Structure formats: structure tokens, C-alpha cells
Amino acid sequence: MSSDQPAEGIRLQKVLASAGLGSRRACEQLIAQGRVTVDGRGVAELGSRVDPETSVVRVDGKRVNLRSGQVYLAMNKPRGVLTAMSDPHGRPTVGDLVAHRSERLFHVGRLDAETEGLLILTNDGEFAHRLAHPSHEVVKTYIAEVPGPVDRSLARRLKDGIELEDGPVRVDEFQVIGYSAGRALVQVSLHVGRNHIVRRLLDAVGHPVDRLVRTAIGPVRLADQRSGSIRELTAAELGELYRLLDL
Ligand code: URA
């Protein structure tokens, strides 16, 4: 057993540094500045030790993931790939893109096969359950390519709510972000997670979607992540998601 890991736990600054909060020195400063709590209590001494498996550590009120076995990944799902871990018919799946990883991962929610963009995968069941559950209302943002022009009154109509066959849908934000050759690029944010929701919604208002990309899930952004690539969520993204999900 190393001197850093006696039976009583691991030094708080080491645990914070391993969780991606910065160098040990930077983490010591976070502790000294009184920004860290362990199991609800403020800890300002550097000697504190914690059990990463059981302690709840927060920095500035946001929970930090300490459990080394848990992974949280952001994938840029390519068009044409099924949101499934495997497919009995041999079609390409997101499972193929993480097949080299040893964890038992599952995807959180789904994107249609034809939809691209941000998909979160994890092996943390409680996190996945909460993130997919409508009660937590995490906002998702999409960019859609649709036939233009788009009427100026559309944003108001979509924010007021559109009646679909399975009930009304209201968007949080709607914006035209570009035009080219008679086509419009629109950005839609909503916290409803029903099947094909963005395609059905835009279809219902006369703008059938040609291309759809999910660009954000709450604080997690796709940015310039390459199609088919996978990255770990940052400590800041995860902390913010834990907060939104009451974890
Ligand atoms: N809305 C859709 O229409 N498709 C998706 O994949 C996600 C949201």
C-alpha cells in the first residue's frame, strides 16, 4: 500500500487532481480557499483524506466524480449508425464505435439513425436513468437544415407550442442561424425527449428536415468533435450534469 493510500482513504487534493480538477497544487488551493465540501461539510485543511468510493465531494457546490470505474463519454454519432449497442441484422451501431473499451457501456437516450451528433454513453446506471428521464428536463439543442425561407413568426409559434399527434410540444429556443441556396439552418433547443421530436415538429410547421445534428445536451457541447469520435466528459461538464440531475 502506498503512503498516499492508507486504510483511512486518499488525500483530498490527490483525489481532486485525479478527477480532472487541475494539478495537485491547484487542488490544494481550491481546498485552502474553502471551496470544497466532503459529505456536506466544508474542508479547508490539506491533510483530509476521503474514500473515493463512498464520499460525496463538491467543489463550488458541484459534485465531483471520484469513482474511477465510472466513465462518461461524449460521442459524435455519425449519420447512418444505429443508437444501439449491437444489432441482430449486422447494421453499424454506436456499440461498434466503443467496442475497444472494456466497460459495459450504454447510451443515454437515442438519436435516429439519420441524425448525427452528441450522444452520451456511460456505465453509470443511475446517471443514465436520470439524464434520460423527462422530469430532469435537461435541454438539448439541435441544428436542422430545412427548406427556406422561414417565416419570422415561427419562433413565437414554436415557443407557444405546436400540437402533435402525441400531445403539444413547446421549444425553449428557436433561431434561424443561416441561409444558403434556398435552405435554412435553424437551431432548436427543447427539453422534450419524444421519438423523432425535432423532425416531427419542423415537419408540422412546413419545414421537413433534411439534416439534423444534436449539438448540446445541457452543459455538454459537440463543438468541433470529429464524426465518430469519443471523448470523456470534463470534470466541469460532469459537475454541472450532476447538479442538474440532483446527484
Ligand atoms: N429529434 C429527432 O427528430 N430525431 C432525433 O434523433 C432526436 C431528436
Side-chain angles (χ1 to χ4, degrees):
M1 191 177 289
S2 88
S3 62
D4 252 340
Q5 203 163 343
E8 313 88 62
I10 303 177
R11 282 180 198 282
L12 185 53
Q13 58 266 44
K14 180 176 185 207
V15 165
L16 290 173
S18 312
L21 273 288
S23 65
R24 275 203 213 187
R25 178 103 189 104
C27 293
E28 283 170 8
Q29 279 168 2
L30 291 177
I31 298 167
Q33 287 161 358
R35 294 165 63 186
V36 181
T37 61
V38 176
D39 297 329
R41 274 173 292 108
V43 174
E45 322 81 54
L46 292 178
S48 307
R49 291 174 183 273
V50 297
D51 178 348
E53 292 305 315
T54 58
S55 306
V56 174
V57 174
R58 293 177 194 273
V59 175
D60 295 334
K62 287 187 189 161
R63 185 162 174 187
V64 177
N65 174 37
L66 305 180
R67 286 165 291 181
S68 51
Q70 295 198 323
V71 291
Y72 304 87
L73 305 173
M75 171 187 288
N76 183 353
K77 184 189 93 62
R79 191 171 189 164
V81 171
L82 296 183
T83 307
M85 297 317 287
S86 64
D87 180 54
H89 305 294
R91 291 169 295 182
T93 66
V94 299
D96 301 337
L97 297 173
V98 291
H100 58 286
R101 299 195 61 115
S102 56
E103 305 91 2
R104 207 175 148 269
L105 293 167
F106 31 92
H107 50 85
V108 183
R110 311 181 165 271
L111 290 175
D112 305 335
E114 290 315 301
T115 301
E116 305 153 56
L118 188 59
L119 184 70
I120 293 180
L121 295 106
T122 181
N123 58 355
D124 180 342
E126 180 62 20
F127 173 89
H129 174 73
R130 290 192 185 212
L131 186 53
H133 200 275
S135 66
H136 290 285
E137 304 202 331
V138 175
V139 174
K140 297 168 186 96
T141 300
Y142 299 83
I143 293 181
E145 191 181 310
V146 298
V150 174
D151 199 277
R152 289 168 76 91
S153 62
L154 186 58
R156 187 70 270 151
R157 272 179 76 198
L158 291 169
K159 286 182 192 173
D160 287 346
I162 299 286
E163 198 61 42
L164 297 180
E165 73 267 12
D166 53 351
V169 184
R170 222 185 267 272
V171 310
D172 298 291
E173 298 292 340
F174 178 85
Q175 219 184 336
V176 178
I177 57 173
Y179 275 112
S180 150
R183 322 209 44 82
L185 271 190
V186 299
Q187 180 169 288
V188 191
S189 298
L190 73 179
H191 54 263
V192 182
R194 302 192 323 232
N195 266 354
H196 313 301
I197 193 67
V198 177
R199 290 175 191 275
R200 289 194 290 132
L201 186 64
L202 292 175
D203 214 18
V205 295
H207 294 283
V209 170
D210 292 323
R211 185 173 174 207
L212 186 61
V213 183
R214 181 153 69 191
T215 56
I217 299 174
V220 184
R221 313 218 162 269
L222 186 64
D224 55 4
Q225 190 176 332
R226 265 185 309 108
S227 179
S229 70
I230 296 149
R231 68 172 176 89
E232 302 232 354
L233 297 192
T234 65
E237 288 169 334
L238 201 51
E240 182 60 16
L241 280 175
Y242 279 152
R243 188 184 68 73
L244 291 171
L245 303 177
D246 300 321
L247 278 165

